[in-house]
Amino acid sequence: MSTPLDLYRLGFELGLDHARHGLAPPSKFRIVGHPVCEGWASGLSTHATKPLRRLNGPGPSLAMRHWLRLRLNAWCHGEGVDLRTFTPDLLEKIVPRNHPEAASYCPITRCALRGIDHHLQEKTPHDAKVVRINTALAWSEGNVMLVGRNAADALAKLPTAPTQRLQHALTLLQQLRQQPKGSSSVSQSTGQAMIDGLHAGQWARMGVMLSLSTPLKHQQAATLPLLVLPPHCLQPINPIQDVQALLTTLWLSPGWSRRRQQIEMLIDRPQPYRTLRRFLDLFVQRLMKSAHPDQPLMWRWAIEDTWRHTDVLQHWHQFALQIDATEAERIKNHANMVLDTATNHP
């Protein structure tokens, strides 16, 4: 738990960073005696004889502004921030600087995102928000992702503890599946029943996303379908789900047949080896019937939706329960090297 001195120091450093980048903190922090205000004033004094960065260039990027805003919000709520990995560069990867308005979709709702500009007056489901998935961990690389406003608002209503968040999301999903027609709010665009702004398919993806950042027993993690691929900025913490993600991403780019063979060779026991081959054969058969790889976004969603097939999930269960967490960790580490090699030598 942070001490008052720690909180003061962190607030002071936030003020300093605002001054370094030529930005004023929001007005509610610009109060005499406030740690952020004192750090900002100290920074302004330090830079008094030097041109501020905003006067010597184009000014702070959108990612820099958002980074400072997220840190302020985390500081106000007593949330940790890992400044070694949670950087403006990380946010640049999530929302490219040269395309602040687009080219990304919410992995939960699958709606197009228009950027993370806080100065937009009209709030819509297409507003992008950076969120922390595992609330027990700091804001850091591997624990943040970009989602739409509806998904962010639904996430904010869940309990704080990671395990309770996952369980609550799955409970809401079950309620939607069991509710009689007309007993809950309905989406105007799809006609589907909704709870907290999300329909059953979206809550299913939310539950899977939360599971990727929630410590689970191997047997429990092995039963979940990968209904949403983890964004590059989110790292699965359960080994079997990491293997699941690696296998599922085989089909995202050309050359998957060779990569598949290389990963299959990592299985050193006959029974899991045969089971994995049957699973991959079935997966690709189902996938090829639903979409074409020349449409990248539709192809990605088709890959995710292939996990909805009961027989695909049954074959995955058979393989995942024939190995343990230690073996899954070994496969994951070696598979990462295989995929890196395949990427560098197409």
Side-chain angles (χ1 to χ4, degrees):
M1 183 178 295
S2 298
T3 66
L5 183 60
D6 291 333
L7 291 175
Y8 179 89
R9 177 180 56 80
L10 291 172
F12 189 90
E13 290 175 354
L14 264 170
L16 278 177
D17 281 343
H18 277 78
R20 289 190 187 105
H21 299 289
L23 290 171
S27 58
K28 66 179 180 179
F29 297 101
R30 299 198 302 270
I31 302 172
V32 176
H34 193 287
V36 175
C37 184
E38 292 194 352
W40 180 55
S42 176
L44 291 178
S45 175
T46 301
H47 292 283
T49 59
K50 304 176 182 179
L52 289 175
R53 186 170 301 185
R54 62 177 175 174
L55 300 178
N56 206 24
S61 66
L62 177 61
M64 177 65 71
R65 294 172 182 271
H66 197 57
W67 178 66
L68 290 171
R69 187 179 292 267
L70 285 171
R71 286 177 59 197
L72 273 175
N73 187 65
W75 180 76
C76 290
H77 291 87
E79 300 165 356
V81 178
D82 182 0
L83 294 179
R84 295 169 301 173
T85 64
F86 188 71
T87 65
D89 287 341
L90 176 63
L91 296 183
E92 291 279 11
K93 295 177 183 177
I94 298 175
V95 180
R97 178 175 53 190
N98 295 330
H99 304 280
E101 290 298 320
S104 59
Y105 285 76
C106 173
I108 305 300
T109 65
R110 293 181 173 175
C111 71
L113 301 178
R114 67 174 182 175
I116 53 175
D117 191 345
H118 285 279
H119 299 289
L120 295 171
Q121 296 299 316
E122 182 185 0
K123 305 300 181 182
T124 77
H126 299 282
D127 297 340
K129 299 190 72 173
V130 178
V131 297
R132 183 177 56 143
I133 300 301
N134 188 331
T135 52
L137 302 177
W139 288 80
S140 60
E141 185 175 15
N143 192 39
V144 295
M145 61 179 292
L146 193 74
V147 299
R149 177 170 295 277
N150 284 2
D153 290 347
L155 189 62
K157 295 178 182 178
L158 295 176
T160 302
T163 303
Q164 293 178 3
R165 285 159 72 85
L166 172 59
Q167 186 57 50
H168 192 71
L170 297 178
T171 299
L172 293 179
L173 170 62
Q174 194 65 22
Q175 288 177 5
L176 281 171
R177 287 174 172 172
Q178 294 177 348
Q179 279 181 348
K181 188 174 182 180
S183 63
S184 58
S185 62
V186 176
S187 168
Q188 294 182 354
S189 59
T190 66
Q192 299 183 71
M194 305 177 73
I195 295 179
D196 290 339
L198 302 181
H199 59 63
Q202 294 167 344
W203 273 117
R205 289 192 288 272
M206 177 74 84
V208 170
M209 190 67 73
L210 290 171
S211 76
L212 297 174
S213 295
T214 304
L216 300 173
K217 293 182 178 180
H218 176 81
Q219 291 78 4
Q220 182 180 4
T223 63
L224 298 173
L226 194 66
L227 298 175
V228 56
L229 289 170
H232 72 275
C233 52
L234 185 67
Q235 178 61 45
I237 64 175
N238 300 300
I240 191 60
Q241 288 182 302
D242 215 339
V243 172
Q244 189 180 26
L246 286 166
L247 291 172
T248 308
T249 56
L250 284 174
W251 291 280
L252 281 178
S253 58
W256 58 264
S257 180
R258 183 181 63 181
R259 292 196 299 274
R260 168 186 168 169
Q261 293 174 1
Q262 291 173 316
I263 292 177
E264 287 175 346
M265 295 305 295
L266 299 175
I267 312 302
D268 53 13
R269 292 189 291 124
Q271 186 176 3
Y273 173 80
R274 291 192 295 268
T275 306
L276 176 62
R277 284 182 58 86
R278 288 197 297 268
F279 161 73
L280 293 174
D281 286 342
L282 178 62
F283 194 100
V284 73
Q285 289 171 12
R286 291 290 192 185
L287 175 60
M288 291 301 181
K289 292 179 180 179
S290 59
H292 298 283
D294 57 349
Q295 299 176 310
L297 184 60
M298 301 304 295
W299 180 247
R300 182 185 181 93
W301 290 347
I303 291 172
E304 295 173 343
D305 291 342
T306 299
W307 282 99
R308 295 185 178 278
H309 292 284
T310 302
D311 52 356
V312 168
L313 190 56
Q314 288 175 342
H315 278 70
W316 167 252
H317 289 171
Q318 293 174 12
F319 167 73
L321 295 177
Q322 287 172 0
I323 63 175
D324 57 21
T326 301
E327 191 168 1
E329 183 76 25
R330 180 189 67 79
I331 295 170
K332 177 197 73 172
N333 292 335
H334 285 81
N336 275 322
M337 290 187 290
V338 168
L339 293 180
D340 286 343
T341 301
T343 300
N344 295 327
H345 301 86

